[in-house]
Structure formats: C-alpha cells, structure tokens
Amino acid sequence: MIHQGVKTVRKQTPIQLTCDLKADLIDTMGSELSIVNAARVSFNETHQEMSERDEGLIRFLMNNRHASPFEHCTATFRIEAPIFVAREWHRHRTQSYNEWSGRYSEMEPLFYAPDYDRPIIQKGKPGAYYFEVSQNDEDNIMLYSNLRYSYQAAWNTYEILLERGIAKEVARMSLPVSIYTSWYATANLRNWLNFLSLRAEEHALFEIRQLAFKVEEQLFKNFPISLENWDKAGRGPL
C-alpha cells in the first residue's frame, strides 16, 4: 500500500526538549508506628507512640528480613518521564498504576533529550554492557540535533493526522517513546524498597535511576528509621 502525503500550509507547533524527570509524592498511608504495631500484634500488643525500643524493633525486622510489617504503609507518587522509562517502570507488577492516555487526550510536544552527564557510549558485550559519558562534545551535539529533527517531524505528522480527523489512538502511532507521559504509582513500603534495590542500583537505566533517587528521598522523609536501616542492611530486597 502506498501512503499518500498530505499537503498542509498550517503553522508547525514547535516541540520542547527537556531532561527533567519528576517523582512527586502525592499521598502516604500509615507511619513507622504502623510497622511497629503490625509486628507487635503477634504478641497482642499495641503502642501509641514510637520509643527507642520500637526503633530497635524496626532495625531487627530489617536486619532479619521480617518483611510483612513494612507492607502496612503505602506511598503514591506521580511520575513524569518519557514513555521508554514508563515501560521499564511498569515491569514492577507490585505497584498499582494509572497512566495518561493518548487515546482519550492529545499528547503534548514535550520530548526527552539527555543532558551531557548522561552516559551515551555503550561498551562491553551482551550480558556485560557498560556505558560511558562521551568525551567528545560533537557526539552530544549530533545526538541532540538529530533527536530534535526527528521529534519535530514526528510531532508534525501527529498534528496533521489529528487535523485530518484521524483518531487520537491512531495518530499517536507516529510518536516516539521519548515523548513524555505521566502516571500514578502506588505501592506498600516493602515493595518500594524492593523497587529501589533494583532501580537505584548502578546498573539500572540512567533515567529510571534518577527517578529512583527522588523516590528514595521522599520515602526517607516519611519513613526515616526504616530507610536508614534498609540502607545499613545493604539495600537489598525484602
């Protein structure tokens, strides 16, 4: 089948390029006292306030991987990132998700372009790849200019299709995975720590790692005793 080009004289909407990645804490449920009381119910005990003994209990639970009490706290984040990050993030099936839909609303001309500190040179072999920051400014300039060109072309196509009356769910097929999306992610504290054990690790995808650091920072503000002891216990999964 030959696809006929559509001539248009309309003004193109300029795209925007950014390397910003957002992980905003929306809501939490429970506190570290919830963790303590979930553990102490084994002995039919309930505490009304945290004590040094309770802090010691959290440390014991973490060090010995008694994980279920940490499931009684939850946190919800709103993430803003390119689609290629969302698809990797959604592999964590222990979280609940709701995502911006390109079927029901028009996308926005915001695309991801890495900053100069993003490793872009791949080395190694399958199963043992590693990535380095380019030492040649021309690599970054070439990458940025070519991304801008291809993103603008894709966005122009998207707008032409919408103007022609093509359904949003079809027109979006022209857009690359570097366009921005947003989603809500909710999980209990145990599963957030398991997420961080993988995605804040040095071999994780650069972009998801930056977001994981933002998630960890917010979790630490709300559950400092748990996060501190998780870190001291080696940052592994529970």
mmCIF file of all heavy atoms in Angstrom, residues 76-113:
data_model
loop_
_atom_site.group_PDB
_atom_site.id
_atom_site.type_symbol
_atom_site.label_atom_id
_atom_site.label_comp_id
_atom_site.label_asym_id
_atom_site.label_seq_id
_atom_site.Cartn_x
_atom_site.Cartn_y
_atom_site.Cartn_z
ATOM 1 N N THR A 76 2.089 6.971 47.368
ATOM 2 C CA THR A 76 1.669 7.192 45.992
ATOM 3 C C THR A 76 2.494 8.322 45.396
ATOM 4 O O THR A 76 2.606 9.402 45.998
ATOM 5 C CB THR A 76 0.177 7.557 45.914
ATOM 6 O OG1 THR A 76 -0.606 6.462 46.397
ATOM 7 C CG2 THR A 76 -0.238 7.873 44.478
ATOM 8 N N PHE A 77 3.069 8.085 44.228
ATOM 9 C CA PHE A 77 3.851 9.088 43.511
ATOM 10 C C PHE A 77 3.214 9.374 42.160
ATOM 11 O O PHE A 77 2.608 8.488 41.551
ATOM 12 C CB PHE A 77 5.285 8.593 43.271
ATOM 13 C CG PHE A 77 6.127 8.544 44.507
ATOM 14 C CD1 PHE A 77 6.110 7.422 45.339
ATOM 15 C CD2 PHE A 77 6.952 9.604 44.860
ATOM 16 C CE1 PHE A 77 6.891 7.365 46.486
ATOM 17 C CE2 PHE A 77 7.733 9.554 46.002
ATOM 18 C CZ PHE A 77 7.697 8.441 46.820
ATOM 19 N N ARG A 78 3.371 10.608 41.699
ATOM 20 C CA ARG A 78 3.074 10.940 40.311
ATOM 21 C C ARG A 78 4.402 11.124 39.594
ATOM 22 O O ARG A 78 5.211 11.973 39.988
ATOM 23 C CB ARG A 78 2.222 12.195 40.177
ATOM 24 C CG ARG A 78 1.984 12.546 38.709
ATOM 25 C CD ARG A 78 0.905 13.556 38.480
ATOM 26 N NE ARG A 78 0.753 13.809 37.038
ATOM 27 C CZ ARG A 78 -0.360 14.262 36.476
ATOM 28 N NH1 ARG A 78 -1.431 14.488 37.228
ATOM 29 N NH2 ARG A 78 -0.425 14.472 35.183
ATOM 30 N N ILE A 79 4.610 10.326 38.555
ATOM 31 C CA ILE A 79 5.860 10.330 37.820
ATOM 32 C C ILE A 79 5.642 11.007 36.475
ATOM 33 O O ILE A 79 4.637 10.768 35.803
ATOM 34 C CB ILE A 79 6.368 8.888 37.587
ATOM 35 C CG1 ILE A 79 6.300 8.059 38.879
ATOM 36 C CG2 ILE A 79 7.779 8.908 37.014
ATOM 37 C CD1 ILE A 79 7.112 8.603 40.015
ATOM 38 N N GLU A 80 6.582 11.847 36.068
ATOM 39 C CA GLU A 80 6.581 12.454 34.738
ATOM 40 C C GLU A 80 7.910 12.121 34.080
ATOM 41 O O GLU A 80 8.971 12.530 34.556
ATOM 42 C CB GLU A 80 6.367 13.963 34.827
ATOM 43 C CG GLU A 80 5.002 14.343 35.387
ATOM 44 C CD GLU A 80 4.777 15.843 35.437
ATOM 45 O OE1 GLU A 80 5.482 16.570 34.692
ATOM 46 O OE2 GLU A 80 3.916 16.285 36.212
ATOM 47 N N ALA A 81 7.833 11.361 32.989
ATOM 48 C CA ALA A 81 9.030 10.839 32.344
ATOM 49 C C ALA A 81 8.670 10.389 30.930
ATOM 50 O O ALA A 81 7.495 10.245 30.599
ATOM 51 C CB ALA A 81 9.600 9.670 33.148
ATOM 52 N N PRO A 82 9.661 10.141 30.078
ATOM 53 C CA PRO A 82 9.363 9.643 28.734
ATOM 54 C C PRO A 82 8.800 8.220 28.776
ATOM 55 O O PRO A 82 9.012 7.472 29.743
ATOM 56 C CB PRO A 82 10.713 9.698 28.020
ATOM 57 C CG PRO A 82 11.738 9.757 29.087
ATOM 58 C CD PRO A 82 11.095 10.434 30.245
ATOM 59 N N ILE A 83 8.099 7.862 27.707
ATOM 60 C CA ILE A 83 7.416 6.573 27.652
ATOM 61 C C ILE A 83 8.393 5.405 27.807
ATOM 62 O O ILE A 83 8.057 4.386 28.416
ATOM 63 C CB ILE A 83 6.600 6.464 26.353
ATOM 64 C CG1 ILE A 83 5.356 7.363 26.447
ATOM 65 C CG2 ILE A 83 6.191 5.030 26.050
ATOM 66 C CD1 ILE A 83 4.527 7.423 25.172
ATOM 67 N N PHE A 84 9.616 5.525 27.293
ATOM 68 C CA PHE A 84 10.542 4.389 27.408
ATOM 69 C C PHE A 84 10.904 4.101 28.861
ATOM 70 O O PHE A 84 11.214 2.958 29.220
ATOM 71 C CB PHE A 84 11.795 4.601 26.547
ATOM 72 C CG PHE A 84 12.776 5.641 27.036
ATOM 73 C CD1 PHE A 84 13.743 5.332 27.981
ATOM 74 C CD2 PHE A 84 12.746 6.932 26.521
ATOM 75 C CE1 PHE A 84 14.669 6.283 28.404
ATOM 76 C CE2 PHE A 84 13.654 7.888 26.942
ATOM 77 C CZ PHE A 84 14.616 7.574 27.885
ATOM 78 N N VAL A 85 10.817 5.109 29.713
ATOM 79 C CA VAL A 85 11.029 4.890 31.147
ATOM 80 C C VAL A 85 9.792 4.242 31.765
ATOM 81 O O VAL A 85 9.885 3.316 32.578
ATOM 82 C CB VAL A 85 11.362 6.209 31.865
ATOM 83 C CG1 VAL A 85 11.484 5.986 33.374
ATOM 84 C CG2 VAL A 85 12.645 6.803 31.309
ATOM 85 N N ALA A 86 8.619 4.721 31.368
ATOM 86 C CA ALA A 86 7.367 4.157 31.891
ATOM 87 C C ALA A 86 7.274 2.669 31.614
ATOM 88 O O ALA A 86 6.848 1.885 32.469
ATOM 89 C CB ALA A 86 6.177 4.885 31.281
ATOM 90 N N ARG A 87 7.669 2.250 30.411
ATOM 91 C CA ARG A 87 7.539 0.830 30.063
ATOM 92 C C ARG A 87 8.458 -0.047 30.888
ATOM 93 O O ARG A 87 8.141 -1.191 31.182
ATOM 94 C CB ARG A 87 7.788 0.638 28.559
ATOM 95 C CG ARG A 87 6.755 1.347 27.697
ATOM 96 C CD ARG A 87 5.314 0.866 28.013
ATOM 97 N NE ARG A 87 4.324 1.815 27.501
ATOM 98 C CZ ARG A 87 3.705 2.694 28.244
ATOM 99 N NH1 ARG A 87 3.956 2.785 29.553
ATOM 100 N NH2 ARG A 87 2.812 3.506 27.721
ATOM 101 N N GLU A 88 9.618 0.478 31.257
ATOM 102 C CA GLU A 88 10.501 -0.282 32.134
ATOM 103 C C GLU A 88 9.991 -0.260 33.569
ATOM 104 O O GLU A 88 10.028 -1.269 34.271
ATOM 105 C CB GLU A 88 11.929 0.265 32.063
ATOM 106 C CG GLU A 88 12.906 -0.520 32.904
ATOM 107 C CD GLU A 88 14.346 -0.391 32.437
ATOM 108 O OE1 GLU A 88 14.570 -0.208 31.225
ATOM 109 O OE2 GLU A 88 15.232 -0.488 33.290
ATOM 110 N N TRP A 89 9.502 0.899 34.006
ATOM 111 C CA TRP A 89 8.967 1.035 35.362
ATOM 112 C C TRP A 89 7.799 0.070 35.571
ATOM 113 O O TRP A 89 7.682 -0.559 36.631
ATOM 114 C CB TRP A 89 8.504 2.473 35.568
ATOM 115 C CG TRP A 89 8.133 2.854 36.969
ATOM 116 C CD1 TRP A 89 7.162 2.279 37.751
ATOM 117 C CD2 TRP A 89 8.713 3.893 37.759
ATOM 118 N NE1 TRP A 89 7.079 2.913 38.964
ATOM 119 C CE2 TRP A 89 8.035 3.905 39.008
ATOM 120 C CE3 TRP A 89 9.721 4.818 37.529
ATOM 121 C CZ2 TRP A 89 8.355 4.811 40.006
ATOM 122 C CZ3 TRP A 89 10.031 5.721 38.533
ATOM 123 C CH2 TRP A 89 9.357 5.713 39.753
ATOM 124 N N HIS A 90 6.939 -0.065 34.580
ATOM 125 C CA HIS A 90 5.722 -0.871 34.728
ATOM 126 C C HIS A 90 6.005 -2.364 34.830
ATOM 127 O O HIS A 90 5.085 -3.151 35.074
ATOM 128 C CB HIS A 90 4.771 -0.605 33.558
ATOM 129 C CG HIS A 90 4.054 0.715 33.654
ATOM 130 N ND1 HIS A 90 4.592 1.817 34.262
ATOM 131 C CD2 HIS A 90 2.834 1.109 33.207
ATOM 132 C CE1 HIS A 90 3.752 2.832 34.194
ATOM 133 N NE2 HIS A 90 2.670 2.427 33.557
ATOM 134 N N ARG A 91 7.242 -2.752 34.651
ATOM 135 C CA ARG A 91 7.590 -4.160 34.864
ATOM 136 C C ARG A 91 7.458 -4.549 36.336
ATOM 137 O O ARG A 91 7.408 -5.737 36.659
ATOM 138 C CB ARG A 91 9.018 -4.441 34.378
ATOM 139 C CG ARG A 91 9.197 -4.289 32.870
ATOM 140 C CD ARG A 91 10.583 -4.706 32.451
ATOM 141 N NE ARG A 91 10.792 -6.137 32.688
ATOM 142 C CZ ARG A 91 11.972 -6.720 32.645
ATOM 143 N NH1 ARG A 91 13.063 -6.011 32.397
ATOM 144 N NH2 ARG A 91 12.092 -8.014 32.861
ATOM 145 N N HIS A 92 7.432 -3.554 37.213
ATOM 146 C CA HIS A 92 7.255 -3.823 38.642
ATOM 147 C C HIS A 92 5.763 -4.026 38.903
ATOM 148 O O HIS A 92 5.010 -3.078 39.125
ATOM 149 C CB HIS A 92 7.831 -2.668 39.470
ATOM 150 C CG HIS A 92 9.310 -2.571 39.367
ATOM 151 N ND1 HIS A 92 10.160 -3.224 40.231
ATOM 152 C CD2 HIS A 92 10.099 -1.950 38.456
ATOM 153 C CE1 HIS A 92 11.420 -2.983 39.883
ATOM 154 N NE2 HIS A 92 11.404 -2.222 38.810
ATOM 155 N N ARG A 93 5.349 -5.255 38.893
ATOM 156 C CA ARG A 93 3.922 -5.582 38.978
ATOM 157 C C ARG A 93 3.412 -5.559 40.417
ATOM 158 O O ARG A 93 2.265 -5.945 40.676
ATOM 159 C CB ARG A 93 3.675 -6.945 38.310
ATOM 160 C CG ARG A 93 3.965 -6.891 36.810
ATOM 161 C CD ARG A 93 3.646 -8.202 36.119
ATOM 162 N NE ARG A 93 4.522 -9.285 36.518
ATOM 163 C CZ ARG A 93 5.700 -9.529 35.953
ATOM 164 N NH1 ARG A 93 6.153 -8.758 34.991
ATOM 165 N NH2 ARG A 93 6.432 -10.539 36.357
ATOM 166 N N THR A 94 4.241 -5.110 41.336
ATOM 167 C CA THR A 94 3.819 -4.963 42.730
ATOM 168 C C THR A 94 3.283 -3.563 43.005
ATOM 169 O O THR A 94 2.961 -3.242 44.152
ATOM 170 C CB THR A 94 4.995 -5.241 43.675
ATOM 171 O OG1 THR A 94 6.089 -4.372 43.336
ATOM 172 C CG2 THR A 94 5.447 -6.693 43.554
ATOM 173 N N GLN A 95 3.206 -2.720 41.977
ATOM 174 C CA GLN A 95 2.666 -1.383 42.128
ATOM 175 C C GLN A 95 1.336 -1.283 41.384
ATOM 176 O O GLN A 95 1.077 -2.030 40.448
ATOM 177 C CB GLN A 95 3.637 -0.337 41.571
ATOM 178 C CG GLN A 95 4.995 -0.328 42.264
ATOM 179 C CD GLN A 95 5.943 0.702 41.668
ATOM 180 O OE1 GLN A 95 5.531 1.641 40.996
ATOM 181 N NE2 GLN A 95 7.240 0.529 41.922
ATOM 182 N N SER A 96 0.503 -0.336 41.818
ATOM 183 C CA SER A 96 -0.747 -0.043 41.124
ATOM 184 C C SER A 96 -0.538 1.193 40.269
ATOM 185 O O SER A 96 0.061 2.172 40.715
ATOM 186 C CB SER A 96 -1.875 0.204 42.136
ATOM 187 O OG SER A 96 -2.104 -0.952 42.911
ATOM 188 N N TYR A 97 -1.051 1.155 39.023
ATOM 189 C CA TYR A 97 -0.767 2.207 38.058
ATOM 190 C C TYR A 97 -2.035 2.787 37.445
ATOM 191 O O TYR A 97 -3.005 2.066 37.214
ATOM 192 C CB TYR A 97 0.083 1.669 36.893
ATOM 193 C CG TYR A 97 1.416 1.112 37.298
ATOM 194 C CD1 TYR A 97 1.666 -0.255 37.227
ATOM 195 C CD2 TYR A 97 2.444 1.945 37.723
ATOM 196 C CE1 TYR A 97 2.900 -0.776 37.585
ATOM 197 C CE2 TYR A 97 3.673 1.432 38.090
ATOM 198 C CZ TYR A 97 3.903 0.069 38.009
ATOM 199 O OH TYR A 97 5.115 -0.439 38.367
ATOM 200 N N ASN A 98 -1.980 4.073 37.156
ATOM 201 C CA ASN A 98 -2.900 4.737 36.240
ATOM 202 C C ASN A 98 -2.080 5.742 35.447
ATOM 203 O O ASN A 98 -1.366 6.559 36.041
ATOM 204 C CB ASN A 98 -4.052 5.430 36.973
ATOM 205 C CG ASN A 98 -5.096 4.443 37.441
ATOM 206 O OD1 ASN A 98 -5.050 3.970 38.580
ATOM 207 N ND2 ASN A 98 -6.040 4.103 36.570
ATOM 208 N N GLU A 99 -2.192 5.693 34.108
ATOM 209 C CA GLU A 99 -1.326 6.495 33.241
ATOM 210 C C GLU A 99 -2.147 7.390 32.317
ATOM 211 O O GLU A 99 -3.262 7.034 31.911
ATOM 212 C CB GLU A 99 -0.432 5.580 32.408
ATOM 213 C CG GLU A 99 0.590 6.324 31.569
ATOM 214 C CD GLU A 99 1.495 5.401 30.775
ATOM 215 O OE1 GLU A 99 1.400 4.167 30.951
ATOM 216 O OE2 GLU A 99 2.287 5.915 29.969
ATOM 217 N N TRP A 100 -1.568 8.528 31.989
ATOM 218 C CA TRP A 100 -2.104 9.430 30.981
ATOM 219 C C TRP A 100 -2.350 8.634 29.700
ATOM 220 O O TRP A 100 -1.471 7.907 29.230
ATOM 221 C CB TRP A 100 -1.086 10.533 30.760
ATOM 222 C CG TRP A 100 -1.403 11.554 29.706
ATOM 223 C CD1 TRP A 100 -2.566 11.729 29.020
ATOM 224 C CD2 TRP A 100 -0.501 12.565 29.238
ATOM 225 N NE1 TRP A 100 -2.454 12.779 28.154
ATOM 226 C CE2 TRP A 100 -1.192 13.310 28.259
ATOM 227 C CE3 TRP A 100 0.812 12.914 29.555
ATOM 228 C CZ2 TRP A 100 -0.605 14.380 27.590
ATOM 229 C CZ3 TRP A 100 1.392 13.977 28.888
ATOM 230 C CH2 TRP A 100 0.682 14.699 27.924
ATOM 231 N N SER A 101 -3.520 8.794 29.117
ATOM 232 C CA SER A 101 -3.883 8.012 27.936
ATOM 233 C C SER A 101 -3.888 8.870 26.680
ATOM 234 O O SER A 101 -4.603 9.871 26.600
ATOM 235 C CB SER A 101 -5.268 7.378 28.117
ATOM 236 O OG SER A 101 -5.679 6.741 26.920
ATOM 237 N N GLY A 102 -3.093 8.444 25.694
ATOM 238 C CA GLY A 102 -3.095 9.093 24.399
ATOM 239 C C GLY A 102 -4.295 8.714 23.555
ATOM 240 O O GLY A 102 -4.464 9.225 22.440
ATOM 241 N N ARG A 103 -5.151 7.823 24.062
ATOM 242 C CA ARG A 103 -6.411 7.510 23.381
ATOM 243 C C ARG A 103 -7.460 8.566 23.663
ATOM 244 O O ARG A 103 -8.301 8.857 22.815
ATOM 245 C CB ARG A 103 -6.951 6.149 23.849
ATOM 246 C CG ARG A 103 -6.142 4.945 23.458
ATOM 247 C CD ARG A 103 -6.887 3.679 23.831
ATOM 248 N NE ARG A 103 -8.097 3.528 23.032
ATOM 249 C CZ ARG A 103 -9.094 2.690 23.328
ATOM 250 N NH1 ARG A 103 -9.031 1.935 24.421
ATOM 251 N NH2 ARG A 103 -10.158 2.617 22.539
ATOM 252 N N TYR A 104 -7.433 9.121 24.871
ATOM 253 C CA TYR A 104 -8.509 9.996 25.324
ATOM 254 C C TYR A 104 -8.143 11.472 25.299
ATOM 255 O O TYR A 104 -9.038 12.331 25.364
ATOM 256 C CB TYR A 104 -8.943 9.597 26.732
ATOM 257 C CG TYR A 104 -9.301 8.134 26.852
ATOM 258 C CD1 TYR A 104 -8.756 7.336 27.834
ATOM 259 C CD2 TYR A 104 -10.191 7.555 25.957
ATOM 260 C CE1 TYR A 104 -9.087 5.992 27.941
ATOM 261 C CE2 TYR A 104 -10.527 6.214 26.050
ATOM 262 C CZ TYR A 104 -9.971 5.431 27.042
ATOM 263 O OH TYR A 104 -10.304 4.108 27.125
ATOM 264 N N SER A 105 -6.877 11.791 25.263
ATOM 265 C CA SER A 105 -6.466 13.195 25.227
ATOM 266 C C SER A 105 -5.262 13.338 24.308
ATOM 267 O O SER A 105 -4.527 12.380 24.078
ATOM 268 C CB SER A 105 -6.120 13.701 26.634
ATOM 269 O OG SER A 105 -5.013 12.989 27.155
ATOM 270 N N GLU A 106 -5.083 14.542 23.793
ATOM 271 C CA GLU A 106 -3.946 14.791 22.914
ATOM 272 C C GLU A 106 -2.661 14.835 23.736
ATOM 273 O O GLU A 106 -2.635 15.323 24.867
ATOM 274 C CB GLU A 106 -4.129 16.111 22.164
ATOM 275 C CG GLU A 106 -5.256 16.084 21.150
ATOM 276 C CD GLU A 106 -5.330 17.370 20.341
ATOM 277 O OE1 GLU A 106 -4.337 18.131 20.345
ATOM 278 O OE2 GLU A 106 -6.381 17.614 19.726
ATOM 279 N N MET A 107 -1.614 14.314 23.153
ATOM 280 C CA MET A 107 -0.302 14.385 23.788
ATOM 281 C C MET A 107 0.203 15.826 23.712
ATOM 282 O O MET A 107 -0.378 16.674 23.014
ATOM 283 C CB MET A 107 0.670 13.436 23.105
ATOM 284 C CG MET A 107 0.204 11.982 23.055
ATOM 285 S SD MET A 107 -0.056 11.256 24.696
ATOM 286 C CE MET A 107 1.637 11.063 25.252
ATOM 287 N N GLU A 108 1.285 16.105 24.417
ATOM 288 C CA GLU A 108 1.897 17.429 24.387
ATOM 289 C C GLU A 108 3.283 17.329 23.752
ATOM 290 O O GLU A 108 3.948 16.296 23.887
ATOM 291 C CB GLU A 108 1.987 18.001 25.803
ATOM 292 C CG GLU A 108 0.618 18.237 26.433
ATOM 293 C CD GLU A 108 0.704 18.752 27.858
ATOM 294 O OE1 GLU A 108 1.842 18.873 28.385
ATOM 295 O OE2 GLU A 108 -0.360 19.026 28.447
ATOM 296 N N PRO A 109 3.738 18.370 23.065
ATOM 297 C CA PRO A 109 5.014 18.298 22.324
ATOM 298 C C PRO A 109 6.240 18.440 23.215
ATOM 299 O O PRO A 109 7.103 19.299 23.009
ATOM 300 C CB PRO A 109 4.899 19.456 21.338
ATOM 301 C CG PRO A 109 4.045 20.460 22.048
ATOM 302 C CD PRO A 109 3.046 19.660 22.841
ATOM 303 N N LEU A 110 6.329 17.582 24.216
ATOM 304 C CA LEU A 110 7.447 17.586 25.153
ATOM 305 C C LEU A 110 8.198 16.262 25.014
ATOM 306 O O LEU A 110 7.616 15.191 25.197
ATOM 307 C CB LEU A 110 6.936 17.763 26.585
ATOM 308 C CG LEU A 110 8.003 17.851 27.675
ATOM 309 C CD1 LEU A 110 8.874 19.098 27.484
ATOM 310 C CD2 LEU A 110 7.362 17.862 29.057
ATOM 311 N N PHE A 111 9.488 16.350 24.696
ATOM 312 C CA PHE A 111 10.296 15.176 24.412
ATOM 313 C C PHE A 111 11.565 15.182 25.258
ATOM 314 O O PHE A 111 12.072 16.229 25.637
ATOM 315 C CB PHE A 111 10.679 15.129 22.929
ATOM 316 C CG PHE A 111 9.511 14.991 21.997
ATOM 317 C CD1 PHE A 111 8.783 16.112 21.612
ATOM 318 C CD2 PHE A 111 9.146 13.754 21.506
ATOM 319 C CE1 PHE A 111 7.708 15.995 20.737
ATOM 320 C CE2 PHE A 111 8.073 13.625 20.637
ATOM 321 C CZ PHE A 111 7.353 14.741 20.251
ATOM 322 N N TYR A 112 12.076 13.987 25.495
ATOM 323 C CA TYR A 112 13.280 13.831 26.318
ATOM 324 C C TYR A 112 14.539 13.908 25.460
ATOM 325 O O TYR A 112 14.640 13.286 24.399
ATOM 326 C CB TYR A 112 13.259 12.487 27.040
ATOM 327 C CG TYR A 112 14.471 12.238 27.909
ATOM 328 C CD1 TYR A 112 14.566 12.834 29.165
ATOM 329 C CD2 TYR A 112 15.505 11.418 27.488
ATOM 330 C CE1 TYR A 112 15.678 12.617 29.973
ATOM 331 C CE2 TYR A 112 16.618 11.187 28.289
ATOM 332 C CZ TYR A 112 16.700 11.795 29.529
ATOM 333 O OH TYR A 112 17.792 11.582 30.327
ATOM 334 N N ALA A 113 15.509 14.686 25.934
ATOM 335 C CA ALA A 113 16.843 14.729 25.340
ATOM 336 C C ALA A 113 17.853 14.711 26.481
ATOM 337 O O ALA A 113 17.770 15.538 27.390
ATOM 338 C CB ALA A 113 17.026 15.969 24.480
#
